[in-house]
Amino acid sequence: MRAVVLVGGFGTRLRPLTLSAPKQMLPVNGITMLERVITNLARGGVTEAVLALGYLPEVFQENFPSGEIAGVKMHYAVEPEPLDTGGAIGFAARFAGFTDDTFIALNGDVINDLDIAALVEQHRAFGGEGTIHLTPVEDPSRFGVVPIDDRGRVEAFIEKPPAGEAPSNWINAGTYVLEPSVLDRMPEGEKVSIERAVFPDMVADGKLFAVQADGYWVDAGTPESYMKVALDLVNGTRSSEPAVAADATIEDGATVENSIVGSGAVIEAGASVIGSMIQRGARVGAGAKIVDSIVGPNALIGPAAELSELTVVGDSVVVEASSSHSGAKLPDVPKE
Ligand code: GDD
Ligand code: MG
């Protein structure tokens, strides 16, 4: 099976971390989001994949020069300009030559344990042009809402409905099985949204189906969900991976609780790190207090500084000693 992985978005909600790396190249407990996604695809029978690249494409190519991730042969399709989700899938599928057989398309910022092989089987049983994986969420307004009939046929595709107006709590979980005929709905070089144009057209033709499956699922696109997806790997919610890299240093008298400390990072004496992510090469100065916050790679947190409430510190940023930040982005970034 072959797959198109969408990784070209700007990652706006994760700035400043995404000023230096695209969202899918951010680490999730030491392994990039992309590698975690590709590993699950490989488990489901995918052997070849194309990345639909737009923003900072060279970062992907430089990090995976072998052209292989988790045993999956990779292609890199760089869009001349952002083509939106549907245009990007069409561009990348044509680039890689995935035009003659059923293929998978997915949002590269979704972390899940979905059984891809089972989804493909269900798609074949429906016999439609496309099959979407659905997951239940509490607030569907940030997602594509997808009501289905009792045979699995999609009745409507409503992208980001106003709060309180969604007809269902089951949302588009971002993984699709598509027939190559769907490419005809994505004309070459045209900007088109799969959620706002392609799927609604397929619904009108009665050719779109969906499967409800409520296993582990997180869209890691916001600081809050990005933090959750990482901490869930170390706190037993999803697995119990080691939370502190083998070559990180925790000095005597420092406290680290429910947190991730990346490769080469240093937590100095008397510092406390609680519910937080300290990325590779960062240093937390003596007596500093980091609560529910993300410290980006190689950042320096001055002694006795305090970070709380999802403060996000960018790559190599220096935070002044004894300064205090709550819910801040350092450096500050313009709102979306
Ligand atoms: N190549 C390319 N070009 N990729 C893009 C572009 C583009 O122009 N625009 C977005 N992407 C990529 C992003 O990098 C991401 O992997 C994926 O497409 C989805 O974009 P997001 O910006 O993360 O969308 P979202 O999270 O608001 O909503 C989408 O995902 C939800 C599930 O997580 C939609 O598909 C919703 O319907 C869905 O519920
Ligand atoms: Mg997303």
Side-chain angles (χ1 to χ4, degrees):
M1 185 61 53
R2 303 186 292 196
V4 177
V5 189
L6 285 173
V7 294
F10 292 101
T12 320
R13 291 163 292 185
L14 280 172
R15 285 183 189 159
L17 295 171
T18 45
L19 294 176
S20 51
K23 172 161 67 174
Q24 293 82 6
M25 288 303 294
L26 297 180
V28 179
N29 197 29
I31 298 177
T32 62
M33 200 181 289
L34 180 68
E35 283 170 280
R36 295 202 179 261
V37 166
I38 301 287
T39 301
N40 192 55
L41 290 178
R43 193 176 67 95
V46 170
T47 53
E48 199 178 344
V50 59
L51 299 184
L53 302 163
Y55 176 61
L56 299 178
E58 63 285 350
V59 180
F60 291 92
Q61 285 149 312
E62 282 161 13
N63 277 274
F64 303 108
S66 72
E68 204 182 284
I69 303 177
V72 175
K73 180 177 188 304
M74 303 299 299
H75 303 267
Y76 303 103
V78 183
E79 281 156 49
E81 55 176 329
L83 293 173
D84 208 339
T85 47
I89 290 171
F91 178 82
R94 289 186 187 99
F95 173 91
F98 298 177
T99 54
D100 57 355
D101 205 354
T102 309
F103 65 100
I104 311 291
L106 62 148
N107 292 344
D109 62 344
V110 162
I111 300 286
N112 63 28
D113 294 320
L114 179 69
D115 183 341
I116 302 280
L119 189 69
V120 171
E121 247 177 65
Q122 283 155 319
H123 169 76
R124 300 222 194 273
F126 286 134
E129 247 190 286
T131 301
I132 307 178
H133 165 221
L134 307 182
T135 194
V137 293
E138 256 167 43
D139 173 15
S141 64
R142 287 201 296 124
F143 300 101
V145 178
V146 187
I148 57 175
D149 70 14
D150 52 12
R151 289 174 47 250
R153 196 185 297 268
V154 174
E155 294 175 323
F157 193 108
I158 311 142
E159 183 67 8
K160 308 204 169 98
E165 287 181 26
S168 164
N169 271 28
W170 288 88
I171 58 111
N172 168 24
T175 303
Y176 324 125
V177 187
L178 302 176
E179 289 306 312
S181 58
V182 172
L183 296 172
D184 298 340
R185 301 176 185 273
M186 305 161 173
E188 218 166 325
E190 264 179 45
K191 195 167 174 166
V192 49
S193 160
I194 198 166
E195 297 88 351
R196 296 180 194 274
V198 178
F199 285 155
D201 285 354
M202 290 168 73
V203 171
D205 294 346
K207 291 191 168 164
L208 188 61
F209 293 81
V211 174
Q212 298 177 335
D214 68 351
Y216 185 87
W217 183 91
V218 178
D219 174 330
T222 66
E224 195 177 10
S225 63
Y226 172 50
M227 183 91 103
K228 175 176 166 52
V229 94
L231 293 183
D232 282 354
L233 287 167
V234 301
N235 65 18
T237 302
R238 181 161 172 240
S239 64
S240 299
E241 295 180 3
V244 177
D247 61 350
T249 307
I250 315 265
E251 290 183 359
D252 286 348
T255 307
V256 174
E257 272 174 36
N258 188 31
S259 296
I260 287 171
V261 181
S263 177
V266 178
I267 315 297
E268 292 183 4
S272 58
V273 175
I274 297 165
S276 294
M277 200 191 295
I278 311 299
Q279 299 190 343
R280 72 182 149 73
R283 177 174 279 265
V284 176
K289 203 170 167 196
I290 317 290
V291 181
D292 300 330
S293 294
I294 303 175
V295 175
N298 303 312
L300 295 176
I301 309 301
E306 295 192 5
L307 309 182
S308 63
E309 296 192 33
L310 276 177
T311 289
V312 182
V313 180
D315 191 334
S316 305
V317 167
V318 177
V319 175
E320 214 179 306
S322 304
S323 62
S324 179
H325 309 270
S326 176
K329 313 250 189 213
L330 305 171
D332 196 16
V333 291
K335 288 258 176 289
E336 298 170 34

